[in-house]
């Protein structure tokens, strides 16, 4: 029969999570990770119980953005995510000792499942997922294992981003995944170009005070109905 | 206490099978533990026998544990090799224990030195068989 028990375990681990938001952009480098991290910090600041899971195994960046040292999560009935400025964080960085993660598609699916099966989030209002770019195995598998996740699309005014987002929307439709909102990054109408961002990486308090964060904070009530 | 999460996932998966196949109860669960994940079979069984009480229909299930040695196959030179933990420190063993594929970050093919290999056997925990009454 060869049944993988992890799939069932993931469901149990996510039972007390109210909303799962997959921050995705399909194009590389549009600001998904920066926005996912800052969004998580802002939700926590607003008093929401918030978790952040870095699912970009080939290019994880949440630990660097939030300035987390290599820190092995505490083990109690699984792994307890450390809390960074109010945000419960789980990332492959805790296991990779700063090495490049040289895993192939099916292997990434396995580790994502394994990590989701042992992470004890407890009660959460929001679990923010930092998604890998594109529609490779990992992105599709995450959607399959966490069907309750809703996508927050990050795009830029570039036509290159727009065409990808349009194609992504039609794929998501066929997969029955709902899009909960869109954020336009690097745009006068959305989140501005922010030259203070680089210096704020690694420091959650500074990140929350960047012009990018202030602009994002204004969008939160409408995006999340809170 | 990773064993708790794994034992619980076995019981929970067995419960799903019970419901799907309309079984009255599960009599036996055969679980395979792979060498890479390095689960302590005794600890695992003890915790399982405790955890199963939380799952109706699984309470009386007998646990049979089998172990499977690790087999890696190099995608560069074709060499087939086993797991050698020499030189792996505690943190590394912990990382591999939680996420077996992370072995690829810390182990090389002993013949050609490539890190591009596949775990073909002995990865982690899976349910081989579930026996029950209709
Ligand atoms: N609003 C902004 N202002 C200035 N720089 C930005 C802004 N948004 C993103 N960047 C910069 O763009 C780069 C990519 O950002 P980030 O890593 O967050 O994107 P990503 O979509 O997660 O990338 P990947 O596809 O590689 O995961 C970073 O150097 C970041 O500092
Ligand atoms: Mg990213
Ligand atoms: Zn080799």
């Amino acid at each position: 029969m060869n049944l993988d028990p992890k799939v069932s375990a993931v469901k149990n681990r996510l039972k007390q999570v109210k909303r799962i938001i997959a921050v995705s952009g399909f194009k590389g480098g549009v600001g998904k990770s920066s926005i996912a991290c800052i969004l998580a910090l802002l939700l926590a600041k607003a008093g929401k119980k918030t978790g952040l899971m870095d699912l970009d195994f080939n290019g994880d960046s949440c630990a660097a953005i939030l300035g987390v040292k290599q820190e092995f999560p505490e083990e109690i009935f699984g792994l307890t995510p450390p809390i960074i400025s109010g945000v419960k964080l789980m990332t492959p960085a805790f296991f990779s000792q700063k090495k490049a993660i040289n895993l192939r598609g099916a292997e990434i699916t396995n580790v994502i499942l394994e990590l989701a099966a042992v992470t004890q989030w407890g009660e959460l209002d929001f679990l923010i997922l930092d998604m890998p770019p594109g529609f490779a195995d990992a992105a599709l598998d995450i959607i399959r294992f966490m069907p309750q996740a809703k996508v927050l699309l990050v795009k830029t005014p570039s036509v290159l981003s727009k065409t990808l987002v349009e194609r992504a929307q039609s794929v998501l439709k066929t997969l029955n995944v709902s899009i909960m909102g869109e954020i336009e990054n690097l745009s006068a109408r959305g989140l501005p170009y922010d030259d203070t961002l680089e210096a704020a990486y690694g420091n959650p308090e500074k990140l929350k005070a960047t012009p990018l964060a202030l602009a994002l904070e204004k969008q939160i009530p409408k995006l999340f109905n809170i | 206490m990773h064993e708790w999460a794994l034992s619980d996932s076995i019981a929970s998966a067995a419960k799903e099978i019970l419901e799907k196949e309309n079984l009255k109860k599960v009599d036996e669960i055969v679980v395979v533990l792979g060498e890479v994940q390095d689960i302590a079979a005794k600890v695992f069984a003890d915790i399982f026998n405790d955890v199963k009480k939380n799952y109706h229909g699984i309470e009386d299930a007998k646990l049979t544990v089998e172990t499977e040695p690790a087999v890696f196959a190099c995608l560069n030179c074709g060499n087939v090799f086993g797991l050698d933990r020499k030189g792996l420190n505690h943190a590394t063993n912990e990382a591999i224990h939680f996420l077996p594929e992370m072995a690829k970050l810390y182990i090389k093919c002993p013949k050609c030195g490539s890190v591009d290999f596949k775990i073909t056997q002995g990865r982690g925990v899976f349910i081989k068989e579930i026996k029950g009454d209709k």
Side-chain angles (χ1 to χ4, degrees):
Chain A
M1 105 188 287
N2 287 16
L3 179 76
D4 189 340
K6 292 193 290 293
V7 179
S8 165
V10 172
K11 274 189 230 153
N12 289 340
R13 292 296 95 78
L14 297 175
K15 259 186 194 148
Q16 292 170 274
V17 177
K18 292 202 187 101
R19 296 170 77 177
I20 303 182
I21 310 292
V23 179
S24 192
F26 308 108
K27 187 161 170 38
V30 293
K32 299 179 290 295
S33 299
S34 307
I35 289 171
C37 290
I38 294 173
L39 180 62
L41 290 170
L42 293 173
L43 287 168
K45 182 184 156 200
K48 302 294 172 191
K49 296 194 187 82
T50 307
L52 172 65
M53 192 170 192
D54 194 337
L55 292 175
D56 188 359
F57 270 69
N58 287 133
D60 68 275
S61 20
C62 293
I65 292 173
L66 296 177
V68 184
K69 309 254 150 23
Q70 165 72 34
E71 177 177 356
F72 207 82
E74 201 188 340
E75 279 186 67
I76 313 165
F77 298 116
L79 293 179
T80 307
I83 299 174
I84 316 299
S85 287
V87 174
K88 292 184 177 177
L89 174 70
M90 188 51 86
T91 156
F94 295 148
F95 306 87
S96 59
Q97 298 173 19
K98 298 213 166 86
K99 289 172 189 280
I101 299 182
N102 55 315
L103 302 186
R104 289 166 176 256
E107 295 166 336
I108 292 181
T109 294
N110 267 337
V111 280
I112 287 177
L113 256 180
E114 196 83 48
L115 198 54
V118 298
T119 303
Q120 295 284 5
W121 297 104
E123 216 182 289
L124 287 186
D125 296 310
F126 290 96
L127 175 58
I128 308 295
L129 309 177
D130 182 14
M131 299 287 280
F135 258 133
D137 321 27
L140 295 176
D141 288 326
I142 292 161
I143 291 168
R144 193 152 52 87
F145 298 129
M146 304 183 185
Q148 66 274 54
K150 296 200 177 0
V151 169
L152 176 57
L153 277 178
V154 178
K155 57 182 187 181
T156 70
S158 159
V159 284
L160 303 180
S161 161
K162 280 191 179 137
T163 58
L164 274 176
V165 164
E166 277 160 21
R167 281 184 273 165
Q169 280 165 323
S170 65
V171 177
L172 289 173
K173 216 176 232 163
T174 66
L175 293 168
N176 263 330
V177 179
S178 55
I179 299 172
M180 52 83 52
E182 283 184 14
I183 288 181
E184 192 164 88
N185 190 21
L186 298 165
S187 143
R189 279 168 301 163
L191 306 181
Y193 174 81
D194 184 347
D195 60 5
T196 69
L197 205 53
E198 203 60 43
Y201 284 140
N203 185 329
E205 296 315 311
K206 273 193 190 160
L207 277 172
K208 278 185 269 189
T210 55
L212 180 83
L214 299 178
L216 183 56
E217 201 164 23
K218 287 203 193 103
Q219 297 194 15
I220 285 181
K222 205 166 152 213
L223 271 174
F224 298 99
N225 276 321
I226 51 172
Chain B
M1 199 71 159
H2 185 209
E3 279 73 7
W4 183 90
L6 291 169
S7 304
D8 187 65
S9 69
I10 295 286
S12 156
K15 172 85 178 169
E16 276 187 12
I17 296 285
L18 173 121
E19 282 164 3
K20 208 158 63 198
E21 301 192 356
N22 273 317
L23 303 176
K24 272 206 226 68
K25 64 187 191 71
V26 171
D27 298 319
E28 187 183 356
I29 304 175
V30 183
V31 171
V32 176
L33 301 182
E35 182 189 357
V36 181
Q37 195 148 37
D38 192 27
I39 307 292
K42 174 82 172 66
V43 179
F44 175 78
D46 287 348
I47 297 174
F48 178 81
N49 286 325
D50 198 31
V51 161
K52 69 182 181 184
K53 294 174 197 148
N54 301 329
Y55 292 89
H56 186 60
I58 315 292
E59 300 97 326
D60 299 326
K62 173 178 170 267
L63 180 72
T64 303
V65 176
E66 293 177 7
T67 52
E68 194 177 78
V71 178
F72 300 142
C74 179
L75 294 169
N76 181 46
C77 76
N79 183 31
V80 173
F81 56 104
L83 174 58
D84 181 1
R85 287 193 194 268
K86 238 194 335 278
L88 301 185
N89 63 25
H90 176 72
T92 303
N93 277 315
E94 280 289 282
I96 297 173
H97 173 61
F98 279 96
L99 306 179
E101 279 75 12
M102 290 287 174
K104 292 184 60 177
L105 277 60
Y106 305 103
I107 291 170
K108 293 186 175 76
C109 166
K111 200 165 153 200
C112 76
S114 171
V115 292
D116 198 13
F117 59 84
K118 242 187 354 202
I119 306 178
T120 56
Q121 211 190 286
R123 177 199 176 274
V125 180
F126 66 90
I127 300 177
K128 190 174 162 192
E129 213 180 341
I130 290 183
K131 297 173 192 163
D133 302 340
K134 282 266 182 203

